[in-house]
Amino acid sequence: MTSHLPPPPTDQYVHLPEARLVTTRALLTARENIADTIEARAMMCVHGGAGFGKTVAVTSCLRELEPEEDIRRITFHARPTTRAVRHELFTALELPGQPPRYTGEFDNLLKIALATRPLTIVFDEAQWLSSDQLEYIRYLWDDPRTQLAVIFVGGEGCHATLRKEPMLSSRIFIWQHFTHLTPAEVLDVIPLYHPIWTNADPDTIAYADQHAAHGNFRNWARLTKHTHRALTRTGRPRADQEVLRWAFSRLG
């Protein structure tokens, strides 16, 4: 699937009115790393477990750092062929006409298009890429005419996948590993994430993290949605352990 960056309201895992993007150490580091990668027209890899905020961090940072027209994002949901990657790039670059039938012609067309101006391309869910596709991306980036900054974003398997390709991994300018929030970070950022946590007792937030969220932003989004619903239905002014236990029951 190809696109420009999605609109900000889609950043949240679930529809959660009043949820805010919070500035974590990982997000601040990502902003600096992405800025340096773009300035160098280099490649970087952002990897880590599911729900740790990798894609949201990259997307929000790019909105600040680059004009929308200079960014392309390609997301993989299954293992593609190299031909499929060519077609995804053709669509992402909004090239006119029909894709060329022959490989050499197709590659030349893409390299010419990528040389017209500096572009930043995000390959999301990059752990789905195999050796041939990674080598193809490196081939395009290596061409002296192209002006590419490339950001690979992927799950825990992404780091190992890219490391298996010596010619590619030796060209990765920056590696950034996203991990879960520490308990101290949870107490710092979750009160800023949504109003229902603003006045919550720190012990309640710590209880929620220990028993359900585990420093994972996607877990926090689901938990916040259920907790917000419980507060609305019961009329209680703020979350407590009884409300949280009801929310936990919905999370399995």
Side-chain angles (χ1 to χ4, degrees), residues 137-156:
I137 293 167
R138 183 204 62 79
Y139 160 75
L140 294 175
W141 179 84
D142 260 355
D143 190 288
R145 296 174 295 171
T146 60
Q147 305 176 66
L148 279 179
V150 173
I151 303 172
F152 294 103
V153 183
E156 289 290 6

Side-chain angles (χ1 to χ4, degrees), residues 21-232:
L21 180 70
V22 291
T23 303
T24 63
R25 287 183 297 173
L27 188 143
L28 289 173
T29 301
R31 190 183 192 284
E32 181 178 331
N33 289 342
I34 292 169
D36 289 346
T37 298
I38 291 172
E39 190 275 332
R41 311 317 300 171
M43 292 193 285
M44 71 174 289
C45 175
V46 178
H47 61 101
F52 290 156
K54 305 178 299 295
T55 298
V56 170
V58 170
T59 300
S60 63
C61 291
L62 283 173
R63 288 195 192 106
E64 296 180 27
L65 295 168
E66 284 278 83
E68 178 81 10
E69 61 270 18
D70 292 341
I71 304 168
R72 299 292 185 274
R73 188 180 74 160
I74 299 175
T75 303
F76 301 102
H77 297 295
R79 194 169 298 283
T81 62
T82 305
R83 177 177 174 79
V85 172
R86 287 188 180 94
H87 280 263
E88 293 281 5
L89 285 166
F90 183 91
T91 303
L93 295 170
E94 300 171 333
L95 298 177
Q98 295 298 313
R101 292 179 58 188
Y102 300 106
T103 297
E105 181 185 358
F106 208 155
D107 291 350
N108 191 53
L109 175 67
L110 290 176
K111 285 190 284 188
I112 290 172
L114 293 169
T116 56
R117 71 176 192 272
L119 284 175
T120 299
I121 299 183
V122 179
F123 293 98
D124 202 2
E125 302 295 347
Q127 70 273 8
W128 287 107
L129 294 168
S130 67
S131 179
D132 288 346
Q133 289 91 61
L134 291 169
E135 171 60 19
Y136 184 68
I137 293 167
R138 183 204 62 79
Y139 160 75
L140 294 175
W141 179 84
D142 260 355
D143 190 288
R145 296 174 295 171
T146 60
Q147 305 176 66
L148 279 179
V150 173
I151 303 172
F152 294 103
V153 183
E156 289 290 6
C158 185
H159 178 269
T161 297
L162 270 62
R163 282 292 191 191
K164 289 178 183 176
E165 307 302 322
M167 292 185 69
L168 175 71
S169 65
S170 66
R171 288 164 170 78
I172 298 295
F173 186 52
I174 295 173
W175 301 84
Q176 182 175 350
H177 186 209
F178 269 63
T179 61
H180 59 76
L181 298 171
T182 66
E185 286 180 297
V186 166
L187 293 179
D188 284 341
V189 304
I190 294 305
L192 304 175
Y193 171 57
H194 194 275
I196 68 168
W197 306 116
T198 301
N199 296 315
D201 190 286
D203 288 342
T204 299
I205 295 174
Y207 177 81
D209 192 59
Q210 179 183 358
H211 290 274
H214 310 298
N216 183 299
F217 261 118
R218 193 170 297 165
N219 290 344
W220 270 108
R222 292 188 299 151
L223 178 61
T224 301
K225 182 72 173 181
H226 290 306
T227 304
H228 183 269
R229 182 155 294 169
L231 293 174
T232 300

